[in-house]
Amino acid sequence: MSETTHPRQVAEVSPDKLALVFADSGEQLSYRELVERADACAQLFASAGLVEGDTVAIWLENHIRFPELCWAAKNSGLIYTCIPSGATVDDAAYIIENCDASLLVTSRTLADRACEVAARLVDREIQPVLLMVDGAVAPFDDYDTRLARCPPMPVGGRRRGPSMLYSSGTTGRPKGIKTPLPDAPPEQPPPRLAMLKSHYLLDCDTVLVNPGPFYHAAPGRFMISLQRLGGTVVAFKKFDAERCLAAIDHYRASHGLFVPTMFIRMLALEPAVRQQYRHDSLRCVAHVGAPCPIPVKERMIEWWGEIIGETYAGTESVGHTFITSSEWLQHKGSVGRPDANCELRIVDEQGADCPVGEPGLVYMRNGKHFEYHKDTDKTREVFLEGGWATLGDIGYLDNDGYLYLTDRQSDMIVSGGVNVYPREIENVLHTFPAIADVAVVGVPDEVFGEAVKAVVETHQPVTDLRAFEAEVLGYCRQHLAPQKCPRSVEVVAQLPRSEAGKLLKRVLRDRYWQGRRSRII
């Protein structure tokens, strides 16, 4: 197949090729079906009165209809906003109203919450069109019934519709990340495609195991990018470690996209289970979302070989760093160096550049600009003069220009006037054999303001909590400076994580700070 930049071109040459397959449910979508359904959906949007620049809200679990909705918006010059499938009624209603959605598509699976949201929208001056897949309940109309009335014909003359995704909301209300409507047709890909092709060798022969939620930036954008090239996406309704390994084997996957939590879950499987499945077809694996704990990444490279690359970026798309396995083995813990079209700097609290090895706020620029929708103050906060923008991460550069992240700015613990960055502590605790997963947070302390607390999951049930805590704290004292050592350890059945695998520290912290008017004692 000659190089393509749009599913329509793929469908002309290989109409029956799979654009998407769900490994757990068996559902499949060919390129012919994707293009025809996306064109009919674009006509549906037009018949509902949507014009270029309007916004469509997509509130679905990982669903076979997801990509056609995204492509219909892209082909129509519409902005599309993807709402996390697990969003609360409050958050979903907020996003729909904040993004000025003219149309909402949801599913029967989410009907209970969706109907509550719809009830909250009745007072809006402009009512969004309400559609539901897999059968509808009032006040929603049936998506497939409406779609069947629309011809599968392109809506011509439109610019490429961009996404307006919302931040995960781990530090407050989700924020819409808005970019200008590009002066380009749908067939012209964004610069992201060339970057992914260059670093991860995506092409028409790629079979990508993509177990993350489509609403999240990386899984959704990797899927859309690969469908421009004519590859096949292997997805899941929900991540399961063994099913993921089975899919790599069954579909002879060439690529994979994971977050570190998924690596941890796969490594936690019994060796006999892991050895049942082949992975020799894999040529390139990317992990995103968070830096991978060093011992976890070491074990993954030992298991799968030096094919694991890492990307540091954000939904804001103001810059990227990349690192290969071979580079990482020489710079363990690094998230890499900036892409060719990206610049990077580390800035201290006074706005001066930090010297090598000294942590500060990470800023990047690549010529792109964004805004947090309807939040000019927040937008202003993240930009410096000259187009530099920060994602709120703290890190430092080594002598070779490799970036190391130490924490999120908002996760910093101030204990007795000392700044403590949890990620360093978490990386140490990930090496403690009994611990399966860990989060370090600041909890109220009458003397120090905040005390460092480790909240952990364990591989096996703990029978003597006091002895376990003493052992963990002793281990920390061997590996950390005294001010960084946790003062207490709590064992939980499961840490709160989003469907995208991100640790929800806000949820965790709220347990300890509940009822307090201030988090500064």
Side-chain angles (χ1 to χ4, degrees), residues 269-423:
L269 294 170
E270 292 292 333
V273 174
R274 287 193 272 130
Q275 290 166 8
Q276 292 179 46
Y277 305 106
R278 298 172 297 173
H279 59 270
D280 57 300
S281 59
L282 288 172
R283 294 189 284 113
C284 189
V285 169
H287 77 82
V288 295
C292 190
I294 290 174
V296 173
K297 191 159 181 177
E298 286 175 333
R299 291 179 65 193
M300 287 303 304
I301 293 173
E302 181 181 355
W303 181 15
W304 283 357
E306 293 186 19
I307 61 170
I308 299 174
E310 180 173 357
T311 299
Y312 166 62
T315 309
E316 291 84 346
S317 298
V318 291
H320 300 74
T321 68
F322 296 90
I323 191 166
T324 65
S325 287
S326 58
E327 288 177 297
W328 185 87
L329 289 170
Q330 299 300 316
H331 301 269
K332 291 186 179 181
S334 173
V335 295
R337 292 189 288 190
D339 188 39
N341 69 338
C342 172
E343 298 174 274
L344 188 152
R345 62 189 290 206
I346 310 296
V347 176
D348 65 18
E349 293 180 357
Q350 287 72 44
D353 289 328
C354 293
V356 168
E358 182 175 315
L361 204 52
V362 180
Y363 280 85
M364 297 185 289
R365 68 176 179 186
N366 60 3
K368 295 182 181 178
H369 188 83
F370 73 92
E371 64 181 58
Y372 289 117
H373 189 48
K374 300 180 180 177
D375 196 338
T376 55
D377 289 341
K378 179 62 178 175
T379 304
R380 193 180 305 112
E381 286 175 11
V382 302
F383 277 96
L384 294 178
E385 186 177 350
W388 295 96
T390 182
L391 305 177
D393 291 314
I394 294 168
Y396 65 91
L397 297 172
D398 68 12
N399 287 315
D400 296 317
Y402 285 85
L403 174 65
Y404 297 74
L405 300 181
T406 57
D407 224 305
R408 290 283 299 175
Q409 186 182 32
S410 58
D411 288 340
M412 185 173 67
I413 300 168
V414 182
S415 184
V418 176
N419 292 347
V420 179
Y421 301 118
R423 184 157 291 143

Side-chain angles (χ1 to χ4, degrees), residues 295 423-432 475-476 479-480:
R423 184 157 291 143
E424 181 181 359
I425 307 166
E426 289 165 353
N427 284 341
V428 167
L429 289 173
H430 270 295
T431 67
F432 190 82
Y475 185 80
C476 288
H479 295 87
L480 293 166

Side-chain angles (χ1 to χ4, degrees), residues 453-475:
K453 187 179 191 70
V455 187
V456 305
E457 292 178 35
T458 57
H459 291 295
Q460 301 295 331
V462 175
T463 55
D464 188 336
L465 292 174
R466 183 172 296 180
F468 177 78
E469 181 182 46
E471 188 178 3
V472 171
L473 296 180
Y475 185 80

Side-chain angles (χ1 to χ4, degrees), residues 444 446 449 509-510 512-521:
E446 297 299 327
R509 280 196 300 264
D510 284 349
Y512 304 104
W513 293 87
Q514 193 171 22
R516 294 175 180 265
R517 296 182 62 185
S518 173
R519 296 195 178 191
I520 303 173
I521 298 174

Side-chain angles (χ1 to χ4, degrees), residues 167-240:
S167 66
S168 60
T170 55
T171 56
R173 278 292 193 187
K175 299 174 288 291
I177 297 161
K178 189 172 185 177
T179 55
L181 199 67
D183 189 19
E187 292 76 19
Q188 181 178 322
R192 178 184 309 114
L193 184 67
M195 180 181 64
L196 293 177
K197 286 172 59 181
S198 171
H199 287 283
Y200 293 119
L201 310 177
L202 301 181
D203 58 24
C204 62
D205 296 321
T206 296
V207 178
L208 172 71
V209 167
N210 187 17
F214 295 162
Y215 71 77
H216 199 259
R221 287 172 172 172
F222 264 76
M223 175 171 67
I224 293 296
S225 296
L226 187 56
Q227 287 170 347
R228 284 189 178 276
L229 299 173
T232 297
V233 176
V234 180
F236 302 79
K237 298 294 185 180
K238 188 175 182 180
F239 174 75
D240 176 87

